Amino acid sequence: MCNMPNTISKYAPVVIPTLCRYDCFIPCVESLEKCVGAEYTEVYVALDFPLNASHEEGYKKISNYLASRNFKFKALHVIKREHNYGVHGKDSNVNVILRELWQQYDRLIFSEDDNLFSPNFLQFINKG
């Protein structure tokens, strides 16, 4: 890993929509947390509500995991949906969180919940 001084003046927040893919989500968040600059990064997790019973176990595991850990991030914001927003349409989980955050920020990093990040990802993407 390159040990460059931190010269980034503004870190983009990271947006991760998810529902029940616990086995994918945990490595995603933990790899993001190991990135250079994670301590300057706000992370928004949009946790959609289970659509059916098959989603409930993974949803609960993700919810409990997020509530039980202290993360290295500048802040971790968990937006728990009260009903299922789904993945399609203008009012989907993804589209709603993006609309809300574009009102607050001039830049965002969007990630699926199954991505794994290189330790230099945040530094690289924020300098771009």
Side-chain angles (χ1 to χ4, degrees), residues 18-23 25-26 45 47 57-68 78 113:
T18 192
L19 169 58
C20 62
R21 298 188 320 161
Y22 176 81
D23 292 338
F25 177 77
I26 301 312
V45 176
L47 182 56
E57 181 182 358
Y59 170 86
K60 287 177 185 176
K61 283 182 176 180
I62 291 172
S63 183
N64 291 338
Y65 172 80
L66 293 170
S68 70
V78 180
D113 63 357

Side-chain angles (χ1 to χ4, degrees), residues 21-106:
R21 298 188 320 161
Y22 176 81
D23 292 338
C24 297
F25 177 77
I26 301 312
C28 172
V29 171
E30 290 181 355
S31 69
L32 187 63
E33 189 176 28
K34 293 175 184 172
C35 287
V36 174
E39 67 275 18
Y40 305 113
T41 302
E42 292 194 47
V43 176
Y44 289 82
V45 176
L47 182 56
D48 206 358
F49 194 81
L51 178 62
N52 55 51
S54 68
H55 298 152
E56 289 178 12
E57 181 182 358
Y59 170 86
K60 287 177 185 176
K61 283 182 176 180
I62 291 172
S63 183
N64 291 338
Y65 172 80
L66 293 170
S68 70
R69 288 235 12 244
N70 289 320
F71 291 89
K72 178 182 169 184
F73 305 118
K74 179 178 178 181
L76 176 71
H77 309 277
V78 180
I79 298 94
K80 288 174 121 180
R81 305 299 185 193
E82 295 177 10
H83 64 274
N84 184 271
Y85 282 42
V87 294
H88 301 293
K90 71 179 184 75
D91 293 325
S92 68
N93 189 35
V94 171
N95 287 333
V96 170
I97 190 64
L98 290 176
R99 255 194 327 267
E100 291 170 352
L101 293 179
W102 279 123
Q103 293 177 14
Q104 300 174 45
Y105 297 99
D106 65 350

